[in-house]
Amino acid sequence: MNRSIVILGSARRNGNTGKFVDWILADSGIEVIDLNELDISPFDYGHHNIEDDFHQTMDHILKYENIIFASPVYWFSMSAQMKVFVDRLSDFLSVDSLKEKGRKLRGKRGHVLSTSISEHADASYTDSFLNTFIYLGMKPGSFIHLNCKNGFVQEASNKNFTDFINNMND
Ligand SMILES: Cc1cc2nc3c(=O)[nH]c(=O)nc-3n(C[C@H](O)[C@H](O)[C@H](O)COP(=O)(O)O)c2cc1C
């Protein structure tokens, strides 16, 4: 069984980040969860949204060891789609009956795949993922970034991402 899964949080499935994901994962058989297709609402202190798609999606994600968070840089941060998803991880900290399940995140490897119109993802972007992984007891994995200043131009990238995909099946 594949040990990795991608969570894609972009405003468009076939934009730069989606294409970057498809390129990197080509032929790997790694599943991509597109957050746009799911009904996941923002964190609610009253947990009235407990029946939306977040928890059944997490049940699936928790079967994997490598969780790849793929998000464009929007305003120096992760996308709103991804932020809503990450915020919902707080359900695991605040609903007693979910705490045990949330602990299953411990030891899993969190990876980040980003695009922007800059050479590097801002520290404000990468740190938010890094600190989230550390807080949750996850192991920080690979962070890879593609500059899409001229759109997604695969041939223009002289970066080699082979190691990234090889690491996914460790
Ligand atoms: C709402 C929004 C905010 C953005 N903010 C930034 C930014 O802060 N820094 C940056 O380098 N690029 C920024 N960009 C450019 C995107 O990161 C870049 O075009 C990215 O590749 C888009 O990926 P997508 O097609 O998956 O949305 C922004 C784009 C949008 C739509």
Side-chain angles (χ1 to χ4, degrees):
M1 180 188 153
N2 214 308
R3 290 164 55 81
S4 309
I5 192 158
V6 175
I7 305 164
L8 173 65
S10 167
R12 50 184 184 175
R13 171 63 183 86
N14 293 313
N16 297 335
T17 314
K19 286 179 180 154
F20 187 29
V21 165
D22 293 340
W23 171 41
I24 295 290
L25 302 185
D27 303 325
S28 68
I30 295 177
E31 182 186 351
V32 178
I33 295 177
D34 179 4
L35 293 178
N36 286 321
E37 291 183 355
L38 300 174
D39 170 28
I40 298 179
S41 60
F43 178 77
D44 173 6
Y45 281 98
H47 307 296
H48 301 296
N49 55 0
I50 208 92
E51 297 292 337
D52 71 8
D53 290 340
F54 177 74
H55 288 289
Q56 66 181 54
T57 303
M58 280 307 301
D59 286 344
H60 183 59
I61 289 169
L62 285 168
K63 295 177 191 156
Y64 295 85
E65 291 310 308
N66 293 292
I67 306 174
I68 305 165
F69 294 78
S71 167
V73 178
Y74 288 163
W75 290 105
F76 315 102
S77 307
M78 65 183 77
S79 67
Q81 288 83 350
M82 186 62 81
K83 184 63 164 59
V84 165
F85 180 84
V86 169
D87 278 2
R88 286 295 298 281
L89 295 170
S90 296
D91 283 10
F92 291 121
L93 309 175
S94 52
V95 179
D96 282 342
S97 59
L98 292 173
K99 286 182 179 168
E100 188 57 39
K101 201 195 319 173
R103 282 194 271 272
K104 291 189 178 151
L105 281 165
R106 289 183 188 165
K108 295 199 184 285
R109 282 201 293 168
H111 308 269
V112 177
L113 183 155
S114 57
T115 69
S116 77
I117 53 167
S118 310
E119 197 54 43
H120 303 284
D122 302 277
S124 47
Y125 172 102
T126 51
D127 283 354
S128 60
F129 280 108
L130 185 61
N131 291 330
T132 299
F133 296 156
I134 292 169
Y135 192 88
L136 293 169
M138 295 174 67
K139 294 185 213 149
S142 305
F143 284 55
I144 58 170
H145 179 77
L146 190 66
N147 182 356
C148 292
K149 187 166 52 123
N150 300 314
F152 177 80
V153 186
Q154 182 177 320
E155 296 75 20
S157 172
N158 55 10
K159 291 187 182 177
N160 185 339
F161 295 109
T162 319
D163 285 350
F164 180 79
I165 191 64
N166 287 341
N167 284 338
M168 291 309 124
N169 291 316
D170 284 354

Coordinates of all heavy atoms in Angstrom, one line a residue, residues 75-108:
W75 N -0.8 35.6 0.2 CA -0.5 36.6 1.2 C 0.4 36.1 2.3 O 0.1 36.2 3.5 CB -1.9 37.1 1.7 CG -2.6 38.0 0.7 CD1 -3.7 37.6 0.0 CD2 -2.2 39.2 0.2 NE1 -4.0 38.6 -0.9 CE2 -3.1 39.6 -0.8 CE3 -1.2 40.1 0.5 CZ2 -3.0 40.8 -1.5 CZ3 -1.1 41.3 -0.1 CH2 -2.0 41.7 -1.1
F76 N 1.5 35.6 1.8 CA 2.6 35.1 2.8 C 2.2 34.0 3.7 O 2.9 33.7 4.6 CB 3.1 36.3 3.7 CG 3.2 37.6 2.9 CD1 2.3 38.6 2.9 CD2 4.4 37.8 2.0 CE1 2.4 39.7 2.1 CE2 4.5 38.9 1.3 CZ 3.6 39.9 1.3
S77 N 1.1 33.3 3.4 CA 0.6 32.3 4.2 C 0.1 31.1 3.4 O 0.1 31.2 2.2 CB -0.7 32.8 5.0 OG -0.4 34.0 5.7
M78 N -0.4 30.1 4.1 CA -1.1 29.0 3.4 C -2.4 29.5 2.9 O -2.9 30.6 3.3 CB -1.3 27.8 4.3 CG -2.2 28.0 5.5 SD -2.3 26.6 6.5 CE -0.7 26.6 7.5
S79 N -3.0 28.8 1.9 CA -4.3 29.3 1.3 C -5.4 29.2 2.4 O -5.2 28.5 3.4 CB -4.6 28.4 0.1 OG -4.9 27.1 0.6
A80 N -6.4 29.9 2.1 CA -7.6 29.8 3.1 C -8.1 28.4 3.1 O -8.5 28.0 4.2 CB -8.7 30.8 2.6
Q81 N -8.2 27.7 2.0 CA -8.7 26.3 2.0 C -7.8 25.5 3.0 O -8.4 24.7 3.8 CB -8.6 25.7 0.6 CG -9.6 26.3 -0.4 CD -9.1 27.6 -1.0 OE1 -8.2 28.2 -0.6 NE2 -9.9 28.0 -2.0
M82 N -6.5 25.6 2.9 CA -5.7 24.8 3.8 C -5.8 25.3 5.2 O -5.7 24.5 6.1 CB -4.2 24.9 3.3 CG -3.2 24.1 4.0 SD -3.6 22.3 3.8 CE -2.9 22.0 2.2
K83 N -5.9 26.6 5.4 CA -6.0 27.1 6.8 C -7.2 26.6 7.5 O -7.2 26.2 8.7 CB -6.0 28.6 6.8 CG -5.9 29.2 8.2 CD -4.7 28.9 8.9 CE -4.4 29.7 10.1 NZ -5.4 29.7 11.1
V84 N -8.3 26.5 6.8 CA -9.6 26.0 7.4 C -9.3 24.5 7.8 O -9.7 24.1 8.9 CB -10.8 26.1 6.4 CG1 -11.9 25.2 6.8 CG2 -11.2 27.5 6.2
F85 N -8.7 23.8 6.9 CA -8.4 22.4 7.2 C -7.5 22.3 8.4 O -7.8 21.5 9.4 CB -7.7 21.7 6.0 CG -7.4 20.3 6.2 CD1 -8.4 19.3 6.0 CD2 -6.2 19.9 6.6 CE1 -8.1 18.0 6.2 CE2 -5.9 18.5 6.8 CZ -6.8 17.6 6.6
V86 N -6.4 23.0 8.4 CA -5.5 23.0 9.6 C -6.1 23.4 10.9 O -6.0 22.8 11.9 CB -4.2 23.8 9.3 CG1 -3.3 24.0 10.5 CG2 -3.4 23.2 8.1
D87 N -7.0 24.4 10.8 CA -7.7 24.9 12.0 C -8.5 23.8 12.6 O -8.6 23.6 13.8 CB -8.6 26.1 11.7 CG -7.9 27.4 11.7 OD1 -6.7 27.4 11.9 OD2 -8.6 28.4 11.5
R88 N -9.1 23.0 11.7 CA -10.0 21.9 12.2 C -9.2 20.8 13.0 O -9.9 20.0 13.7 CB -10.8 21.3 11.0 CG -11.9 22.2 10.6 CD -13.0 22.5 11.6 NE -13.7 21.2 12.0 CZ -14.6 20.7 11.3 NH1 -15.0 21.2 10.1 NH2 -15.2 19.6 11.7
L89 N -7.9 20.8 12.8 CA -7.1 19.8 13.6 C -7.3 20.1 15.1 O -7.1 19.2 15.9 CB -5.7 19.9 13.2 CG -5.3 19.4 11.8 CD1 -3.9 19.7 11.4 CD2 -5.6 17.9 11.6
S90 N -7.8 21.3 15.4 CA -8.0 21.7 16.8 C -9.2 20.9 17.3 O -9.3 20.8 18.6 CB -8.4 23.2 16.9 OG -7.2 23.9 16.5
D91 N -10.0 20.3 16.5 CA -11.1 19.4 17.0 C -10.5 18.3 17.9 O -11.1 17.9 18.9 CB -11.9 18.8 15.9 CG -12.9 19.7 15.2 OD1 -12.9 20.9 15.5 OD2 -13.7 19.2 14.4
F92 N -9.3 17.9 17.4 CA -8.7 16.7 18.1 C -8.2 17.1 19.5 O -7.9 16.3 20.3 CB -7.5 16.2 17.3 CG -7.9 15.5 16.0 CD1 -7.5 15.9 14.8 CD2 -8.8 14.4 16.1 CE1 -7.9 15.2 13.6 CE2 -9.2 13.7 15.0 CZ -8.8 14.1 13.7
L93 N -8.0 18.4 19.7 CA -7.5 18.9 21.0 C -8.6 19.3 21.9 O -8.4 19.4 23.1 CB -6.6 20.1 20.7 CG -5.5 20.0 19.7 CD1 -4.7 21.3 19.5 CD2 -4.5 18.9 20.1
S94 N -9.8 19.6 21.3 CA -10.9 20.1 22.2 C -12.1 19.2 22.3 O -12.9 19.6 23.2 CB -11.3 21.5 21.6 OG -11.6 21.4 20.2
V95 N -12.2 18.2 21.6 CA -13.3 17.2 21.8 C -12.8 16.0 22.4 O -11.9 15.2 21.8 CB -14.0 16.9 20.4 CG1 -15.1 15.9 20.6 CG2 -14.5 18.1 19.7
D96 N -13.2 15.7 23.6 CA -12.6 14.6 24.4 C -12.6 13.3 23.6 O -11.6 12.5 23.6 CB -13.3 14.4 25.7 CG -12.9 15.5 26.7 OD1 -11.8 16.1 26.5 OD2 -13.6 15.7 27.7
S97 N -13.7 13.0 23.0 CA -13.8 11.7 22.3 C -13.0 11.6 21.1 O -12.8 10.5 20.5 CB -15.3 11.5 21.9 OG -15.7 12.5 21.1
L98 N -12.4 12.7 20.7 CA -11.5 12.7 19.5 C -10.0 12.7 19.8 O -9.2 12.6 18.9 CB -11.9 13.9 18.5 CG -13.2 13.8 17.9 CD1 -13.5 15.1 17.2 CD2 -13.4 12.6 16.9
K99 N -9.7 12.9 21.1 CA -8.3 13.1 21.4 C -7.4 11.9 21.1 O -6.3 12.0 20.6 CB -8.2 13.5 22.9 CG -8.6 14.9 23.2 CD -8.5 15.3 24.6 CE -9.0 16.7 24.8 NZ -9.1 17.2 26.2
E100 N -8.0 10.7 21.3 CA -7.2 9.5 21.0 C -6.9 9.4 19.6 O -5.8 9.1 19.2 CB -8.0 8.3 21.5 CG -7.3 7.0 21.5 CD -6.0 7.0 22.3 OE1 -6.0 7.6 23.4 OE2 -5.0 6.4 21.8
K101 N -7.9 9.7 18.7 CA -7.7 9.7 17.3 C -6.6 10.7 16.9 O -5.7 10.4 16.1 CB -9.0 9.9 16.5 CG -8.9 9.3 15.1 CD -9.9 9.8 14.1 CE -11.3 9.8 14.6 NZ -12.1 10.4 13.5
G102 N -6.7 11.9 17.5 CA -5.8 12.9 17.1 C -4.3 12.6 17.4 O -3.4 12.9 16.7
R103 N -4.2 11.7 18.5 CA -2.8 11.3 18.9 C -2.2 10.5 17.8 O -1.0 10.3 17.8 CB -2.8 10.6 20.2 CG -2.9 11.6 21.4 CD -2.6 10.9 22.7 NE -3.8 10.4 23.3 CZ -4.6 11.0 24.1 NH1 -4.4 12.2 24.4 NH2 -5.7 10.4 24.6
K104 N -3.0 9.9 16.9 CA -2.4 9.1 15.8 C -1.6 9.9 14.8 O -0.9 9.4 14.0 CB -3.6 8.4 15.0 CG -4.3 7.4 15.8 CD -5.2 6.6 15.0 CE -5.9 5.5 15.9 NZ -7.2 5.1 15.4
L105 N -1.7 11.2 14.9 CA -0.9 12.1 14.1 C 0.6 12.1 14.5 O 1.5 12.3 13.7 CB -1.4 13.5 14.1 CG -2.6 13.8 13.2 CD1 -3.2 15.2 13.6 CD2 -2.2 13.9 11.7
R106 N 0.8 11.7 15.8 CA 2.1 11.7 16.3 C 3.0 10.7 15.6 O 2.6 9.6 15.3 CB 2.1 11.3 17.8 CG 1.5 12.4 18.7 CD 1.6 12.0 20.1 NE 0.9 12.9 21.0 CZ 0.5 12.7 22.2 NH1 0.8 11.6 22.8 NH2 -0.1 13.6 22.9
G107 N 4.2 11.2 15.2 CA 5.1 10.4 14.5 C 5.0 10.3 13.0 O 5.8 9.8 12.3
K108 N 3.8 10.8 12.5 CA 3.7 10.9 11.1 C 4.5 12.0 10.5 O 4.9 12.9 11.2 CB 2.2 11.1 10.7 CG 1.3 9.9 11.1 CD 0.0 9.9 10.4 CE -0.8 8.7 10.9 NZ -0.4 7.4 10.5

